[in-house]
Amino acid sequence: MFVWFLYIVTACLLFWSWRSDKKKTISALKKGWKAFENLLPQFLPIILLIGISLAILDPSTISRILGKESGLLGMALAAVIGSIVLMPGFIAFPLAASLLAAGAGYGQIAMLVTTLMMVGIVTLPLETQYFGKRLAIERNALAFVYAVISSFILGGIL
Amino acid sequence: MIGLIKRYRVFLGLCLLNLILLLAEPATGRKALSITSENLLEMLSFLPPIFVLLGLLDVWIDRETMMRYMGENSGLRGHLLAFALGSAAAGPLYAAFPIVGVLLKKNASMMNVFIFVGAWSTTKIPLLVFESATLGFHFMALRFVFNVIGILIIAWIMKIQAKGEKLPIQE
């Protein structure tokens, strides 16, 4: 539904742009296409890697690893799985909800969700292209540390 | 042709891996393929507007405007704008990097760029709605508060780390 909103906003802006300056609009579309074409060799492997890893680590395997009383080990595993595997939120949240229902702790779930969304070892090469190696690694490391701290606090509160 | 193969070598390698998986473990291989095609369709559903917006942003917003609104001296307003832009996005984090490229090229401040990345990764509005529906309002609200603090701290540290760094995109 939200994607439709994005399309409508984009269409309006495109329409406005076309009416104001056709040349600029064409060059904008060309730039957009070029950026997309440049990133395709990196997008495609990411998608495939997600597919392969989710097929191997299916929800039942994950819920066994992070299940009841997995404690600190569960936290650590959640962090490792979350950092390597990349899942869109729309897959991660229902999975997290089913894990909670299966008895996983709030802390483990927060850890999994936060690292899934903020830390991406798989996407590091892509990130390096924009920030350089050092900054890209540092951003991921900081996000990881943040995920650990916030998950422990969240696990303690809830 | 050779160039094309070279550019897509990682992709081709993973295709091969999936093929091996398909032969060795047909059920898992098929599952991997179906998840991949599902994700591919999802990706193709949200990427076109993102790249059109990226092109429009690149053409219509010049460096001076970007610097005024999100540059070094844009202050709180710049931070809020970066936060709002990231939160209004759709798509996973890797879709944000091309836009980051444009922001960097037009001299947005590092602090704002990293606020944008942080917001894009965790405080997207549709995701928040979805999170509170699946995991409960309390879980979502608490994580949201932590995330805002976390994003600001990470952005601030990264700004200091990035000082004087020559970025690949600006060369």
Side-chain angles (χ1 to χ4, degrees):
Chain A
M1 195 193 78
F2 186 80
V3 174
W4 286 113
F5 176 71
L6 193 69
Y7 270 92
I8 293 167
V9 171
T10 309
C12 290
L13 286 173
L14 199 61
F15 180 68
W16 167 81
S17 169
W18 182 259
R19 287 201 43 184
S20 328
D21 193 332
K22 289 196 173 63
K23 247 192 195 153
K24 262 188 165 177
T25 309
I26 290 172
S27 117
L29 289 176
K30 272 188 187 154
K31 279 187 173 177
W33 172 254
K34 227 188 126 202
F36 177 69
E37 216 267 322
N38 263 335
L39 282 170
L40 213 53
Q42 267 144 346
F43 274 140
L44 290 176
I46 291 169
I47 302 278
L48 254 178
L49 215 55
I50 295 175
I52 294 173
S53 42
L54 277 186
I56 296 169
L57 286 171
D58 57 2
S60 69
T61 313
I62 298 177
S63 89
R64 208 172 46 238
I65 298 171
L66 305 178
K68 251 182 201 133
E69 275 125 45
S70 58
L72 265 179
L73 188 67
M75 283 294 241
L77 282 169
V80 171
I81 295 173
S83 305
I84 298 174
V85 187
L86 247 146
M87 268 185 235
F90 287 95
I91 300 174
F93 287 138
L95 172 67
S98 68
L99 290 177
L100 268 182
Y106 276 103
Q108 281 90 336
I109 295 308
M111 182 82 91
L112 183 70
V113 170
T114 312
T115 48
L116 273 177
M117 293 180 1
M118 281 184 126
V119 186
I121 291 176
V122 182
T123 44
L124 207 55
L126 185 62
E127 203 173 335
T128 302
Q129 279 198 351
Y130 294 98
F131 291 135
K133 202 170 203 161
R134 187 175 71 89
L135 288 181
I137 290 174
E138 270 176 18
R139 193 200 68 78
N140 279 281
L142 277 174
F144 184 81
V145 170
Y146 160 73
V148 171
I149 296 171
S150 71
S151 306
F152 270 102
I153 300 175
L154 206 134
I157 295 175
L158 285 171
Chain B
M1 191 59 196
I2 301 277
L4 207 64
I5 293 175
K6 216 172 165 186
R7 250 159 71 79
Y8 287 93
R9 62 182 183 277
V10 182
F11 174 64
L12 293 172
L14 282 170
C15 283
L16 198 68
L17 184 69
N18 208 330
L19 199 69
I20 293 168
L21 197 65
L22 209 53
L23 292 173
E25 195 85 52
T28 315
R30 262 200 299 277
K31 209 173 143 209
L33 274 186
S34 83
I35 296 170
T36 301
S37 59
E38 229 169 84
N39 276 337
L40 200 65
L41 282 179
E42 208 204 296
M43 180 178 108
L44 290 176
S45 77
F46 64 73
L47 282 184
I50 289 179
F51 280 93
V52 171
L53 282 177
L54 181 149
L56 289 174
L57 187 74
D58 202 353
V59 169
W60 284 104
I61 312 285
D62 55 23
R63 196 176 278 238
E64 284 68 40
T65 317
M66 179 70 85
M67 274 179 83
R68 187 145 33 101
Y69 286 102
M70 284 176 83
E72 237 24 275
N73 299 315
S74 58
L76 187 64
R77 202 175 58 167
H79 300 339
L80 285 174
L81 188 63
F83 200 87
L85 276 178
S87 299
L93 187 57
Y94 54 79
F97 294 126
I99 301 206
V100 162
V102 178
L103 293 181
L104 285 171
K105 219 172 67 188
K106 306 252 174 193
N107 280 2
S109 79
M110 276 319 243
M111 177 93 184
N112 288 339
V113 167
F114 283 110
I115 289 178
F116 175 78
V117 169
W120 186 303
S121 68
T122 47
T123 60
K124 283 201 297 275
I125 296 156
L127 269 187
L128 291 178
V129 175
F130 193 59
E131 184 178 356
S132 82
T134 48
L135 294 170
F137 179 76
H138 276 278
F139 186 87
M140 183 281 283
L142 241 128
R143 233 172 57 82
F144 177 75
V145 172
F146 284 154
N147 280 339
V148 172
I149 300 168
I151 288 168
L152 288 176
I153 295 174
I154 291 174
W156 184 70
I157 298 176
M158 289 308 295
K159 178 191 84 176
I160 294 169
Q161 289 295 328
K163 212 160 240 168
E165 182 91 350
K166 195 99 179 101
L167 294 172
I169 197 80
Q170 290 166 331
E171 269 163 15

